[in-house]
Amino acid sequence: MMMSASPPSTIPAPPERIPPGVLAARDYERLAEQCIPADRLAYIAGGSGEDWTARANSAAFGRWSIVPRVLRDLRTGHTRVRIAGEVWAQPIGLAPVAFQKLVHPRGERETARAAAATHSPLLLSTLATTPLEEVAGLLSPEAGQPRPWLQLYLQPRREDTLALLRRAEAAGYGAIVLTLDASIQLASHRALRAGFRMPADCVPAHGSIGVPASALPAGASRIFQGAMAQSARHEDLAWLRGATTLPVWVKGVLDPADARALADAGCAGIVVSNHGGRTVDGVAPSLSLLPAVREAIGSHVPLLFDGGIRSGADVFKALALGANAVLVGRLQLYALAAAGALGVAHLLQLLGEELQACMAVAGCASVADIGPDRLLAVPDFNAIP
């Protein structure tokens, strides 16, 4: 459910320098209050309702500790992974985050520059403020940079969805990622209290999501006949897979039975995600259901994880619990606000180095070596007398 728009209010571009005091990836979150206007930060950091799920996404990583190994030969260690036929330098991608002009006047252009500099995968949102062709033009698969992927919201008219698919194919995108869980997005109370309204210059470059309440007949439900009327169904997924030459992934899956059905339907891969806690407050943390989803689909279906990543240790834990790679959302925006493309590139470097340190301590020379045996469930230390 989209918030109403306010007059344009472009914020100035930050200086392209690493902010002092950034020692770890999560420090970019600490800097957010200094770099992002309070009402915008409330919208970005908030989830839904009282933000319980948004907080739980990050807190879930604290329930696991890393088990060290010694006397391991790690001289050939690396973080390369193969995802959808392409080699990623590290198992960390940039999640499809909408409206990036909220924190930087050049929005997704800066994020694409960072992806190009670090050879990192970038997933572009349908609700990006930069056209998909411009973003693709900043990346060079010929130079070994992963092709961008397009995150897709189904449009009210299939011809509009089809037009987006054709644009993505023509621009050289590598995959389509259909979001399944975002039809319902109840506002964060934090954002409402802060008076956030979407700036008029934050305009989606590709389409929209949701049905305006004014378009509903009298007595119709804003939820069932409104928001859910446009939600994807099995027949929509089948149509989409037949309408494009690109592999179709699905994002926003938490239930193991859903994941198994989607894998059986021929989806190219699955993204375990609860949309950053933005649907309905109280939804389970993404990490809590990751192992069950992996068990349900087996080892042959690629699985990405999205939800609460703040450090390389978080990346390690998600990989150990079943993900092939992770996506970084809010932290990406915080780094973009702090230092533009340089900040996002620096964030990716920090996450990669933190992951390597965890791998070294755990005796893992490659991502393939990271498994559930490298983790230990943390007891409730508050209960220990």
Side-chain angles (χ1 to χ4, degrees):
M1 296 179 179
M2 302 296 296
M3 295 189 177
S4 58
S6 63
S9 179
T10 301
I11 62 176
E16 280 216 358
R17 60 177 178 81
I18 303 302
V22 175
L23 306 177
R26 67 171 63 249
D27 285 337
Y28 277 107
E29 183 173 34
R30 176 180 54 80
L31 288 176
E33 289 186 2
Q34 304 172 30
C35 305
I36 304 174
D39 62 327
R40 299 187 185 198
L41 179 58
Y43 171 72
I44 292 165
S48 172
E50 294 300 323
D51 303 334
W52 181 90
T53 298
R55 295 192 303 272
N57 271 351
S58 295
F61 291 95
R63 298 170 190 158
W64 298 96
S65 58
I66 298 170
V67 178
R69 292 293 303 274
V70 296
L71 300 177
R72 313 291 286 184
D73 186 354
L74 302 178
R75 289 173 294 179
T76 61
H78 65 88
T79 58
R80 294 185 300 276
V81 292
R82 182 174 289 275
I83 305 291
E86 290 190 322
V87 175
W88 295 5
Q90 54 188 22
I92 305 168
L94 296 168
V97 181
F99 303 118
Q100 294 192 17
K101 283 187 179 178
L102 281 172
V103 301
H104 197 290
R106 292 189 292 276
E108 294 82 6
R109 294 177 183 85
E110 292 293 289
T111 305
R113 287 179 56 211
T118 58
H119 286 222
S120 298
L122 180 151
L123 282 69
L124 185 73
S125 172
T126 293
L127 301 181
T129 50
T130 304
L132 63 89
E133 292 85 357
E134 288 189 37
V135 170
L138 294 167
L139 300 168
S140 176
E142 296 78 11
Q145 298 163 359
R147 291 179 294 169
W149 294 7
L150 178 66
Q151 175 273 331
L152 179 69
Y153 292 120
L154 292 179
Q155 299 302 292
R157 302 189 311 164
R158 276 192 173 177
E159 53 263 42
D160 294 330
T161 300
L162 196 60
L164 271 179
L165 295 176
R166 296 296 172 261
R167 287 174 62 186
E169 291 166 353
Y173 278 68
I176 299 297
V177 183
L178 176 65
T179 292
L180 299 177
D181 67 334
S183 298
I184 298 294
Q185 293 189 52
L186 300 185
S188 164
H189 296 170
R190 173 182 175 183
L192 292 174
R193 294 185 187 109
F196 174 78
R197 297 172 66 193
M198 188 64 69
D201 53 355
C202 282
V203 179
H206 310 114
S208 61
I209 179 174
V211 177
S214 59
L216 296 174
S221 164
R222 289 193 304 152
I223 303 297
F224 295 119
Q225 287 78 48
M228 296 308 295
Q230 194 178 317
S231 63
R233 292 175 285 276
H234 283 284
E235 58 267 28
D236 298 308
L237 178 59
W239 171 82
L240 179 64
R241 292 185 60 241
T244 180
T245 58
L246 297 175
V248 175
W249 288 59
V250 287
K251 180 177 182 289
V253 181
L254 291 177
D255 189 277
D258 285 342
R260 187 182 306 111
L262 289 162
D264 291 343
C267 290
I270 291 172
V271 184
V272 170
S273 169
N274 61 20
H275 214 75
R278 288 184 177 275
T279 57
V280 175
D281 208 17
V283 169
S286 298
L287 193 73
S288 298
L289 287 161
L290 175 60
V293 170
R294 171 51 80 193
E295 182 178 4
I297 64 175
S299 60
H300 65 287
V301 179
L303 192 62
L304 302 184
F305 173 84
D306 170 41
I309 296 289
R310 294 294 185 272
S311 69
D314 293 345
V315 176
F316 183 95
K317 293 172 185 179
L319 298 174
L321 293 173
N324 296 104
V326 307
L327 302 176
V328 179
R330 287 184 175 92
L331 207 57
Q332 170 194 158
L333 281 193
Y334 300 150
L336 179 63
L342 181 61
V344 179
H346 184 231
L347 167 68
L348 291 165
Q349 178 187 1
L350 287 172
L351 286 171
E353 290 176 349
E354 291 168 7
L355 170 62
Q356 291 176 38
C358 293
M359 291 173 62
V361 167
C364 301
S366 71
V367 172
D369 295 333
I370 304 173
D373 61 320
R374 296 297 88 221
L375 297 183
L376 179 69
V378 175
D380 183 357
F381 290 105
N382 293 324
I384 297 177

